[in-house]
Amino acid sequence: MQAVINVEGLVKRYGEITAVDGISFRGFRGEVFGFLGPNGAGKTTTVECLEGLRVPDAGKIEVLGEIPSPTNYALKARLGIQLQETAYLGLLTVEEMLFTFARLYPRHRDIRALLELVALTEKRKSYVKTLSGGQRQRLAVALALVNDPELLILDEPTAGLDPQARRALWDLILGLKDEGKTVLLTTHYMEEAEYLCDRVAILDHGRIIALGAPAELVRAHLKETALELELEDGIEGGLLEGLPGVRRVVKEESGTVVLYSDDTVGTFRALAELFTAGKLPLRDLTWRRPSLEDVYLLLTGRRIRE
Ligand code: ATP
């Protein structure tokens, strides 16, 4: 597998704040690589360093064999970038905007085909300000694709979208992967990382705390079932830890308690007994297969979106 991104010991500070604290990873050609983490974890700073928009304080970065910098225009021509916020030229239509961007590059994709690809053909004569959130995000991806880049970098492409619009963008991104593009994206949506990414790096306080294929990460950290308990009041300390099958107990600040059990039936039975005896003030109980959310919860004691 050919590495198209090579990062070693990247550090980026803003005054006193260390936004990225010594991260290393590689991104391979043709994969969808995700940075997953809560707000402020350092995702945007990392991708902005890769794009050459920020200069690292320490570490080495290589993207498509080049060192990114604000003046490395040859590299920029090979990248497709969607920033978290795009300032649109308000007086242009969708089509005019794509043609304007296309002229900035030595080569570009066919604009009509691009409009088709992002399902904006019907909106091509509309002013950008009249587009819905999902249409705007699809336009942002189209603008990132206009120069037919080898590597596409998408910063929270589906933030704030409704489930249907998010799904449409997921399909678009998977289609690009089928075309052979390499995609690096950031997200704080667990399901998105699980659905889209071949590999994810989970970022917390500027550090990578886990890296791998989503299913492998879950398997490596958790073999148990997750039982999520919402309680009316607190309960006796240690009561849940001692139940049959329970391997780990995570108590969240919100009051939710998550039990990880390797004997689901045994744990359920014991919970039912406690409940019947009036010792478990249960409001809600959910039983699920562990996910990346659980990996994050186990490693940090927090959820990604709190
Ligand atoms: P979000 O999803 O909210 O964008 P993120 O994971 O992308 O979060 P960053 O935007 O990279 O995280 O921010 C990492 C840390 O650096 C945060 O503590 C943030 O407040 C800080 N930070 C980011 N940009 C700047 C800046 N221009 N000046 C000062 N501090 C900054």
Side-chain angles (χ1 to χ4, degrees):
M1 272 188 296
Q2 187 193 357
V4 288
I5 302 172
N6 225 321
V7 173
E8 263 180 59
L10 174 66
V11 176
K12 178 68 193 171
R13 296 186 198 93
Y14 300 107
E16 299 282 285
I17 298 170
T18 303
V20 178
D21 196 5
I23 66 169
S24 303
F25 69 97
R26 288 194 293 167
F28 298 110
R29 188 171 293 281
E31 75 174 344
V32 179
F33 186 97
F35 265 110
L36 173 68
N39 289 334
K43 305 181 296 294
T44 298
T45 304
T46 303
V47 296
E48 286 178 349
C49 290
L50 295 176
E51 292 160 355
L53 299 175
R54 293 197 186 277
V55 181
D57 291 304
K60 278 196 240 162
I61 304 181
E62 224 180 68
V63 175
L64 301 172
E66 305 241 0
I67 298 171
S69 81
T71 52
N72 189 339
Y73 302 110
L75 173 60
K76 282 186 185 168
R78 298 166 67 199
L79 297 181
I81 296 175
Q82 176 243 317
L83 300 173
Q84 214 169 74
E85 279 167 34
T86 308
Y88 291 107
L89 307 170
L91 294 174
L92 297 185
T93 64
V94 166
E95 194 174 52
E96 287 166 344
M97 186 121 169
L98 284 165
F99 277 115
T100 306
F101 269 62
R103 263 183 240 123
L104 301 174
Y105 295 98
R107 66 182 187 126
H108 62 82
R109 280 173 88 121
D110 178 75
I111 301 299
R112 278 179 204 286
L114 195 51
L115 283 164
E116 256 329 282
L117 181 71
V118 299
L120 284 178
T121 301
E122 278 176 28
K123 290 281 169 187
R124 69 188 187 283
K125 303 266 181 233
S126 302
Y127 286 101
V128 175
K129 59 178 184 240
T130 66
L131 298 180
S132 71
Q135 290 163 346
R136 244 170 229 248
Q137 289 294 72
R138 294 208 302 278
L139 174 59
V141 174
L143 291 169
L145 282 171
V146 92
N147 54 329
D148 198 20
E150 289 165 59
L151 170 63
L152 198 62
I153 303 180
L154 309 173
D155 197 1
E156 305 220 351
T158 67
L161 297 187
D162 61 55
Q164 204 186 347
R166 177 165 302 146
R167 205 76 205 188
L169 253 171
W170 288 359
D171 290 343
L172 175 58
I173 292 168
L174 289 179
L176 293 168
K177 182 191 152 170
D178 288 343
E179 267 187 36
K181 303 277 180 219
T182 309
V183 182
L184 180 104
L185 60 88
T186 75
T187 182
H188 56 258
Y189 298 115
M190 206 67 51
E191 330 78 77
E192 181 159 295
E194 277 178 340
Y195 186 79
L196 277 186
C197 298
D198 296 301
R199 291 186 310 136
V200 294
I202 303 183
L203 209 61
D204 193 50
H205 296 305
R207 291 179 183 204
I208 292 177
I209 55 170
L211 195 159
E216 272 169 28
L217 282 180
V218 173
R219 256 198 311 273
H221 286 88
L222 285 154
K223 293 179 179 54
E224 302 92 358
T225 307
L227 294 148
E228 209 170 293
L229 278 58
E230 302 277 344
L231 303 170
E232 299 284 358
D233 299 300
I235 43 167
E236 250 176 73
L239 185 67
L240 298 172
E241 281 82 351
L243 296 184
V246 171
R247 293 285 156 258
R248 283 176 264 209
V249 178
V250 178
K251 290 182 180 148
E252 296 179 54
E253 270 172 31
S254 62
T256 303
V257 179
V258 187
L259 308 180
Y260 295 98
S261 165
D262 62 9
D263 173 13
T264 317
V265 175
T267 306
F268 254 128
R269 211 171 266 148
L271 285 172
E273 276 167 22
L274 284 176
F275 181 68
T276 320
K279 290 184 186 160
L280 190 70
L282 201 58
R283 193 185 318 140
D284 203 359
L285 172 64
T286 318
W287 165 18
R288 55 182 167 74
R289 278 197 328 196
S291 66
L292 277 183
E293 179 85 63
D294 296 291
V295 175
Y296 186 80
L297 190 59
L298 270 178
L299 295 175
T300 68
R302 288 173 285 121
R303 297 209 180 219
I304 286 200
R305 296 167 69 202
E306 278 190 331

